[in-house]
Amino acid sequence: MGVKHGHRVQVVDTLSIIVDLTSHSPDNLIKVLNRRPPVFGASAWGMSSQAVRYLPPFDVVIPRIGTTITDYGLAVVRQFEYRGVFVTASSLGISQSRDKLASLQLMSHKGLPVPKTAVIEREESLGVAMQIVGGPPAIMKLSHGTQGRGVILVKNMATAVAVYQKLRNTNNQILLQEFLPEAEGKDTRVIVVGDQCVAAMQREAPQGDFRSNLHLGGTAVKIKLTQEAKDIALAATNAHGLQVAGVDIIHSNRGSLILEVNSSPGLEGIEKTSGQNVAKSIIQYIEQSI
C-alpha cells in the first residue's frame, strides 16, 4: 500500500538487526543479511561487506513486533526513536500494551472503564480476589498472552485453585477478572489510526467457548460503532501513546468495558469483515503527520 502511494517501503526482520551501542553515530542499526557460514570459526563469522549493511535513514517506522520477541523488538524501536524517526507505536506504548496488568493499571488510573480485575501473588489471596470480581465464575488469565492463550474460565473455587497452581510457575502475574455472561461470548475489535476509529467488527466465540478470538475459531461480522465505543477506543489508544492500535471492547450491563489494547493488531481479518482498507488509512495518517 505504501508503494502504491509513491513511497519507498522496506520490510525489515527485527531479529536480523544488530543495535551497535558502542557507536555514537546515528548510523548504529546494522542489518545482517541471510548468510549461514559453512564452517564455525572466527573467519567464517566475520562481518564482510557482503554480510551486513547499515540501515538507511528511514522517515517512518511501522513496528510489527511479535509477542515472542517483544524485548528485542523494543530495543530496536527505541533505537529508531533515539534517531528521531516517526513511529506509529512507541516502545513505551508497545511495552505497556503487551503487559495486561500494566495496561489495565494505566487505564484504570486514567478513569477508563475496565472489567473488575484483581491481581494475586499467593494462593491464599484467591478467596478475597474472587469476591472483588464478583465470582465465581471468573476469568483467570496471564499478564502476558495473546490470541486467547492463557485465558481460562474458572467456574468454582476448586477449579480456580487448580488453575492457579498450574499457572503460577509461568513467570507471569496472574489476573482474576469478572465473567460477564451478558456479553454472550461476543466482543468488539476496533482499529484506531491517529484520532479516528477506521474499522470495527463484532467477534463471537465458537459454541462451547467464551473466547472470541478468530485464531480460536471465532466468527466476525461488520458492526457500526456506538459513540461510547468510539470514545473509549480512542481514549485507550491515547493513554498508551500509540498511533495505531487494536482495541478490544466487551459490552456489559453497566456499559462498554475495555478488555485490552493491541499495539500490533492483525489487519487481514478486520479488513475482510469490515470492508475497510486499514493499511491505506495508516499510510494516509503518516502522510498527514510528517
Side-chain angles (χ1 to χ4, degrees), residues 10-24:
Q10 182 175 339
V11 178
V12 180
D13 177 4
T14 306
L15 295 182
S16 72
I17 296 175
I18 297 173
V19 180
D20 177 10
L21 299 180
T22 65
S23 170
H24 296 292

Side-chain angles (χ1 to χ4, degrees), residues 207-284:
Q207 187 173 3
D209 202 343
F210 67 97
R211 298 168 298 176
S212 60
N213 305 74
L214 299 185
H215 293 84
L216 298 176
T219 56
V221 295
K222 184 177 180 179
I223 189 174
K224 183 177 181 180
L225 287 177
T226 65
Q227 190 60 49
E228 177 192 39
K230 288 181 181 179
D231 290 344
I232 65 173
L234 290 170
T237 302
N238 291 335
H240 288 79
L242 298 169
Q243 310 305 317
V244 176
V247 181
D248 294 340
I249 297 172
I250 192 168
H251 303 283
S252 74
N253 289 335
R254 62 181 188 277
S256 297
L257 307 173
I258 306 165
L259 285 174
E260 62 180 84
V261 177
N262 190 321
S263 59
S264 296
L267 302 185
E268 182 179 0
I270 197 165
E271 286 190 330
K272 181 178 179 180
T273 301
S274 68
Q276 299 298 314
N277 191 330
V278 178
K280 181 178 179 180
S281 296
I282 294 173
I283 297 299
Q284 290 176 331

Side-chain angles (χ1 to χ4, degrees), residues 47 70 109 167 226 230 236 241 246 257:
M47 295 195 303
T70 295
H109 173 68
L167 296 180
T226 65
K230 288 181 181 179
L257 307 173

Side-chain angles (χ1 to χ4, degrees), residues 179-207:
F179 175 63
L180 298 165
E182 64 267 29
E184 299 179 329
K186 300 176 183 177
D187 68 15
T188 299
R189 162 61 65 92
V190 184
I191 299 293
V192 175
V193 179
D195 59 357
Q196 300 290 324
C197 296
V198 300
M201 63 181 177
Q202 179 179 274
R203 304 181 298 187
E204 184 172 357
Q207 187 173 3

Side-chain angles (χ1 to χ4, degrees), residues 78-108:
R78 276 195 299 270
Q79 210 62 36
F80 279 114
E81 290 174 315
Y82 292 149
R83 281 184 169 192
V85 177
F86 180 89
V87 296
T88 57
S90 69
S91 56
L92 178 59
I94 297 170
S95 176
Q96 290 179 143
S97 64
R98 285 284 162 84
D99 184 333
K100 290 184 176 67
L101 174 56
S103 179
L104 287 166
Q105 286 180 304
L106 172 65
M107 291 189 288
S108 177

